[in-house]
Amino acid sequence: MSDTGKGPDRVGDGTRAVRAGLPEPVKHEPTLPGPVFAAHFHLPGEVTGPYAYGRDDNPTWTLLERAIGELEAPGQDDVETLVFASGMAAISSVLFSQLRAGDAVVLPSDGYQALPLVRAQLEAYGIEVRTAPTGGDAQLEVLDGARLLWIESPSNPGLDVCDIRRLARAAHAQGALVAVDNTLATPLGQRPLELGADFSVASGTKQLTGHGDLLLGYVTGRDAEAMAAVRRWRKIVGAISGPMEAWLAHRSIATLQLRADRQNATALAVAEALRQRPEISGLRHPGLPEDPAHKVAAQQMRRYGCVVSFTLPTRARAERFLEALHLVEDATSFGGVRSTAERRGRWGGDPVPEGFIRMSVGAEDPEDLVADVLRALDESAD
């Protein structure tokens, strides 16, 4: 990034995303080297250097990890990023590397629907699990004596937001570590380490890479000892990204700012159109001025995300609506360039009404997408 003529902490998001993690230019070499497929590396004599065995490190990971670190903590050389095979692998690496039997951890009660599975496993290991909602900074009420506070803001799928700075200060005052699931926001939406967190954790499957064609997770942190434990956990369980996935992720990050700006703006346009519809209830998007999360979100987020959630009166109406859509795929996940939506209650595990819809806004023309959503609402009416 030295060729931008400005320090890496002062360039724009687009410049940073395009150039993040690139190696120094070498004549006749590609600007982004291709994936390195290797289970082992030449290693005569004593074990020295970064690359010895494919479960420990890979040059393709190194470039991707550097790129993500530059997005999560621009201009800061004291952070480390580790990539994983999936978002859940990254989440598990922090929880299980930092917690021991007898510790207490605070999780969001309204977070990602796999967290109840994580809770059961933590409790089986003798770890006390406390939960509270994201909104209203309610996790503060159950923080006393905890070893780790896990924040998900905005929460998935309800899109509540908490004051990360406030929670991090309170947790650190009690000697607790703080991890923030930054999946929905991406580093272009908020930077948890700057807000006081010890770990920023995310599923790179979603908007970070944005094409719905790979699974990836990552952990970024500043504390060397804590990150060494995360790295050791990755080595033990072998939850590593394949080099092709890592290369695709790095390639895709170059368009993150373009995708995020388009998707975030269109998500707000969709939300504004939905708030005019009488059959819609529980409409949430942090970018709406009247949204309960907007005031806090505006203080800590630079972009509000591409997800809109709302509730239709019945399960049947929600299913008719999804079937009537032409430009929106009925699929799970979020953050991709093609819009998706689903009736979230079909999975179980999320405390949402039967007619609850989570919609991920893609890169289609805003006018086309809004028209498609409104037409589907009309066609799905009783």
Side-chain angles (χ1 to χ4, degrees), residues 62-144:
T62 299
L63 296 179
L64 174 60
E65 290 169 344
R66 187 187 306 165
I68 294 172
E70 289 174 9
L71 296 178
E72 285 280 355
Q76 300 179 40
D77 297 330
D78 59 341
V79 300
E80 179 180 5
T81 297
L82 298 170
V83 294
F84 290 81
S86 68
M88 281 307 302
I91 289 170
S92 299
S93 74
V94 174
L95 292 169
F96 292 106
S97 70
Q98 305 301 315
L99 296 169
R100 304 290 183 272
D103 287 342
V105 60
V106 177
L107 301 179
S109 59
D110 55 345
Y112 180 50
Q113 55 102 2
L115 287 182
L117 300 175
V118 174
R119 174 177 186 163
Q121 193 61 55
L122 290 167
E123 291 175 337
Y125 288 159
I127 296 163
E128 179 189 354
V129 179
R130 307 170 190 165
T131 63
T134 299
D137 299 343
Q139 289 176 296
L140 288 173
E141 299 173 10
V142 293
L143 185 58
D144 188 40

Side-chain angles (χ1 to χ4, degrees), residues 38-212:
H40 58 265
F41 301 82
H42 289 296
L43 196 68
E46 297 298 319
V47 179
T48 58
Y51 307 113
Y53 186 62
R55 191 177 71 250
D56 298 329
D57 265 309
N58 177 289
T60 310
W61 303 352
T62 299
L63 296 179
L64 174 60
E65 290 169 344
R66 187 187 306 165
I68 294 172
E70 289 174 9
L71 296 178
E72 285 280 355
Q76 300 179 40
D77 297 330
D78 59 341
V79 300
E80 179 180 5
T81 297
L82 298 170
V83 294
F84 290 81
S86 68
M88 281 307 302
I91 289 170
S92 299
S93 74
V94 174
L95 292 169
F96 292 106
S97 70
Q98 305 301 315
L99 296 169
R100 304 290 183 272
D103 287 342
V105 60
V106 177
L107 301 179
S109 59
D110 55 345
Y112 180 50
Q113 55 102 2
L115 287 182
L117 300 175
V118 174
R119 174 177 186 163
Q121 193 61 55
L122 290 167
E123 291 175 337
Y125 288 159
I127 296 163
E128 179 189 354
V129 179
R130 307 170 190 165
T131 63
T134 299
D137 299 343
Q139 289 176 296
L140 288 173
E141 299 173 10
V142 293
L143 185 58
D144 188 40
R147 165 65 179 162
L148 175 66
L149 169 63
W150 188 274
I151 294 170
E152 189 177 300
S153 181
S155 61
N156 173 26
L159 303 182
D160 264 325
V161 168
C162 62
D163 186 335
I164 296 173
R165 291 185 185 89
R166 182 187 181 200
L167 268 67
R169 284 195 300 267
H172 289 156
Q174 299 185 32
L177 294 168
V178 178
V180 175
D181 186 328
N182 203 35
T183 302
L184 202 146
T186 81
L188 268 58
Q190 68 187 9
R191 298 184 185 130
L193 300 187
E194 292 182 1
L195 299 172
D198 300 289
F199 303 100
S200 181
V201 187
S203 168
T205 309
K206 312 298 194 297
Q207 193 173 25
L208 184 81
T209 58
H211 291 78

Side-chain angles (χ1 to χ4, degrees), residues 5 13 23 36 67 82 98 109 119 133 145 161 172 175 212 221 231 233 265 273 329 344 346 358 365 377 381:
D13 285 340
V36 175
L82 298 170
Q98 305 301 315
S109 59
R119 174 177 186 163
V161 168
H172 289 156
R231 179 183 286 274
W233 182 264
E329 300 169 357
R344 191 63 185 166
R346 64 181 176 175
R358 185 185 71 182
D365 286 308
L377 285 172

